[in-house]
Amino acid sequence: MRDVFVMGVGMIRFGKFPEVWMEELGRQAILGAVKDAGIDPKKLMVAYCGHSHQGRVAGQRALKQAGISGIEVVNVENACAGGSTSFRQAYLSVAGGLYDMALAVGMEKVGGGLLPPNPEDLDGLQGRVLPGHYAMKAVRHMYEYGTTPEQLAMVSVKSHKNASLNPLAQYQESVTLDQVLGSRMVADPLTLLQCCPTGDGAAAAILCSRKEAEQSGRPLIRVAGSVVRSGNFVGAGEDILASPLTRETSQNAYEMASVGPQDVDVCECHDAFTIGEILHYENLGFCPRGEGGRLIQDGATEITGTIPVNPSGGLLSKGHPLGATGIAQVVEIVRQLRGEAEKRQVETPRVGLTHTMGGAIPGLEAGACAVHIFVRD
Amino acid sequence: MKQGDSEVKGKVPVKEGLFPWPLPHDGSATLMGSHCEGCGQSFFPKRTLCPECQEGGVMKEIPLSQRGTLYTYTIVRQAPAGFEPPYATALVDLPEGVRLFAQLTTADPDEIKLDEPVELTFGPIARDMAGNEVISYLFRPAKAR
């Protein structure tokens, strides 16, 4: 396997754009990445497109708008981890020596409100909603570890503060702890401001071989770890706070990259709901089990903290257009490692990590988990 | 299927094959699961194949316990179409080693305690597009034995 580098990244501001076609959102992200890489788009040999609801051959439709045709194009569906999975496929195509330059693009236009379950999903028929799925984890975490509603809400306060420094975020206004706690209750103990919004968006990344990366003159951002896994079967006695899926996926990625959680300088994780981020602190290894609430309270995950998490605003405030999310995480980490993150820049990071979860399936922990580790050489 | 019987008119089970339908009136109804004689695991809903043993296992239909333990819950306050918030959803562990997702009979947090016993009951959980009551299994807080 060869070393693989991220040569260019691009994304549009996330938000609601009812009057704009998905193809146009995708075009802007793709050409943003092409411009950032400083390449002729004709050099792209393969493209993987992550999306969940954009219909057939969505990738080809967006690429056509960007003036790119006649190359290998694969559409990738892995729910919220679709973008990360397309990045993984692009990584493999370059690492395996098949291509020297690959595009990973994620894009989505999402309707408002709750995401509907799959029609045969028995839990969905019984009234399960995604905020409730996470809320049940929060209730158990509070019961076992004394995590407080205020600690949960602090994740949202941090997220909104970071997003106020990110011109590409869907929400760019800071909120107070009282505003978060006082917003409408969606599923106890999660209030509205603790749930990610739905919205539209697109993001793209160009991956390449070492030779191409060195010729570009851009900073060398290496993909040091790349792992995608599906969830294991779960049954009675499953510890819903432990997430073997995130633990095993990140462990494999740490081993592949020859780093540990203590080496991570900046992280973008799947904070679809505030409790999610607290659990990911624990399961990615940033703190011991049960201490996620204390980690946010101590300020460790602020941009100025010891392990900054979601400096972009994360899913909670930057927005969560399903297929675009995983690539948008990569965009943020690459900009952070290059020192291009402006007002939300983490101090001289060298190692960055992205983590995405996707797909609720009764009987499995989740559909997919993706972890990527990036190193500035 | 006794469609049209007076006792099931206007009511539909959440899904067929999970519990007897129409429900008996004597409270004897249980959820029907599967037990794999190959590896000893039990499942709900019923499966024709064990995910572990595949064709090598023998799946037997079993009635599941009517009592379990409440692992966690939430009160849902923003609901999908057909559901009337607030309602509580929970994860319940049964002695057979099965974890169920189900609604609770109460949405009052003061009545709901983690790691305490709950017992099976049946009742309406929603209305379908045709206006029928959707009947499913629910759990209610139970006294410790």
Side-chain angles (χ1 to χ4, degrees):
Chain A
M1 298 281 267
R2 310 190 281 177
D3 282 345
V4 178
F5 297 81
V6 183
M7 192 184 212
V9 291
M11 67 178 275
I12 62 161
R13 182 181 176 184
F14 287 179
K16 301 213 169 166
F17 310 109
E19 72 291 355
V20 185
W21 291 97
M22 176 278 297
E23 291 84 346
E24 171 59 17
L25 304 182
R27 182 192 74 86
Q28 292 178 21
I30 293 165
L31 292 184
V34 164
K35 188 177 170 204
D36 184 50
I39 59 159
D40 178 350
K42 301 266 182 302
K43 291 191 83 169
L44 292 170
M45 299 168 170
V46 62
Y48 294 89
C49 175
H51 68 90
S52 278
H53 301 293
Q54 305 314 304
R56 292 181 288 274
V57 293
Q60 288 88 329
R61 281 149 47 205
L63 286 159
K64 185 187 90 174
Q65 292 305 104
I68 299 169
S69 64
I71 64 169
E72 180 176 345
V73 180
V74 180
N75 290 275
V76 178
E77 197 289 307
N78 239 352
C80 307
S84 308
T85 308
S86 69
F87 186 86
R88 161 74 174 166
Q89 297 306 310
Y91 165 83
L92 286 175
S93 75
V94 177
L98 293 177
Y99 293 117
D100 290 327
M101 204 172 285
L103 174 76
V105 56
M107 54 199 194
E108 208 82 55
K109 278 176 76 77
V110 186
L114 297 163
L115 294 178
N118 289 325
E120 80 294 351
D121 179 338
L122 178 59
D123 294 358
L125 295 173
Q126 300 261 83
R128 189 214 58 216
V129 292
L130 280 173
H133 178 73
Y134 277 89
M136 292 197 295
K137 293 177 194 264
V139 167
R140 190 74 200 182
H141 203 270
M142 295 164 84
Y143 172 76
E144 287 192 27
Y145 299 110
T147 304
T148 65
E150 288 75 18
Q151 289 171 333
L152 291 172
M154 283 173 195
V155 174
S156 174
V157 172
K158 169 179 72 68
S159 160
H160 283 82
K161 185 167 75 181
N162 293 352
S164 76
L165 307 173
N166 184 354
L168 300 180
Q170 182 165 350
Y171 295 150
Q172 298 182 16
E173 282 177 21
S174 297
V175 295
T176 65
L177 197 66
D178 286 345
Q179 280 175 305
V180 175
L181 290 169
S183 60
R184 173 166 63 83
M185 191 63 84
V186 174
D188 303 25
L190 301 179
T191 56
L192 185 65
L193 289 176
Q194 302 188 53
C195 306
C196 67
T198 54
D200 312 332
I206 292 169
L207 295 82
C208 66
S209 63
R210 177 177 288 278
K211 189 174 153 216
E212 296 283 353
E214 285 175 347
Q215 280 174 1
S216 74
R218 305 289 283 136
L220 291 182
I221 309 298
R222 181 165 51 90
V223 186
S226 171
V227 182
V228 173
R229 290 179 64 133
S230 69
N232 297 316
F233 291 117
V234 294
E238 183 216 352
D239 175 354
I240 59 170
L241 307 180
S243 185
L245 181 56
T246 290
R247 281 178 187 267
E248 289 164 13
T249 308
S250 60
Q251 195 55 45
N252 291 354
Y254 288 137
E255 281 167 19
M256 184 176 171
S258 300
V259 298
Q262 71 284 353
D263 300 313
V264 176
D265 299 312
V266 57
C267 167
E268 287 277 312
C269 75
H270 198 83
D271 61 333
F273 301 90
T274 50
I275 181 63
E277 182 167 313
I278 284 179
L279 291 171
H280 301 328
Y281 295 161
E282 300 173 10
N283 294 315
L284 291 170
F286 299 152
C287 69
R289 179 175 166 138
E291 293 186 14
R294 196 175 310 157
L295 197 72
I296 179 76
Q297 186 164 4
D298 290 349
T301 54
E302 301 276 349
I303 286 172
T304 51
T306 50
I307 170 64
V309 175
N310 289 323
S312 72
L315 282 61
L316 279 172
S317 305
K318 182 181 60 194
H320 181 30
L322 313 186
T325 286
I327 310 278
Q329 293 177 322
V330 173
V331 172
E332 177 68 12
I333 292 297
V334 167
R335 288 184 175 153
Q336 288 284 351
L337 295 181
R338 285 177 181 170
E340 295 174 354
E342 300 179 340
K343 288 177 185 166
R344 61 185 193 286
Q345 180 65 49
V346 169
E347 198 183 339
T348 59
R350 196 183 77 85
V351 177
L353 180 147
T354 60
H355 161 267
T356 334
M357 303 279 284
I361 309 178
L364 290 188
E365 187 197 326
C369 178
V371 172
H372 284 93
I373 296 175
F374 302 84
V375 174
R376 177 168 185 166
D377 286 328
Chain B
M1 191 72 213
K2 301 183 184 175
Q3 206 96 48
D5 275 12
S6 59
E7 61 180 332
V8 293
K9 201 174 173 199
K11 297 176 197 276
V12 292
V14 65
K15 198 172 185 176
E16 293 190 14
L18 303 176
F19 47 82
W21 187 262
L23 284 163
H25 291 299
D26 59 2
S28 64
T30 62
L31 297 176
M32 300 309 298
S34 302
H35 181 77
C36 175
E37 296 187 332
C39 66
Q41 290 187 86
S42 298
F43 305 93
F44 179 83
K46 284 186 292 189
R47 302 179 56 106
T48 50
L49 275 181
C50 172
E52 206 83 39
C53 307
Q54 295 290 326
E55 275 87 353
V58 177
M59 294 296 261
K60 202 178 86 182
E61 187 172 313
I62 55 163
L64 295 173
S65 297
Q66 293 177 315
R67 283 171 68 94
T69 306
L70 182 80
Y71 179 67
T72 189
Y73 78 101
T74 183
I75 314 290
V76 176
R77 297 180 193 272
Q78 180 180 347
F83 290 84
E84 256 185 52
Y87 58 88
T89 68
L91 296 177
V92 173
D93 287 342
L94 301 184
E96 289 82 2
V98 170
R99 176 169 289 170
L100 297 175
F101 175 92
Q103 290 194 23
L104 300 177
T105 53
T106 173
D108 178 357
D110 291 338
E111 295 178 17
I112 307 171
K113 299 272 182 282
L114 272 60
D115 291 341
E116 293 287 320
V118 287
E119 58 191 17
L120 179 73
T121 183
F122 294 86
I125 60 163
R127 278 195 187 274
D128 69 13
M129 301 279 272
N132 296 304
E133 273 192 328
V134 178
I135 305 298
S136 189
Y137 47 97
L138 301 91
F139 286 86
R140 65 176 165 233
K143 291 204 169 64
R145 275 182 184 152

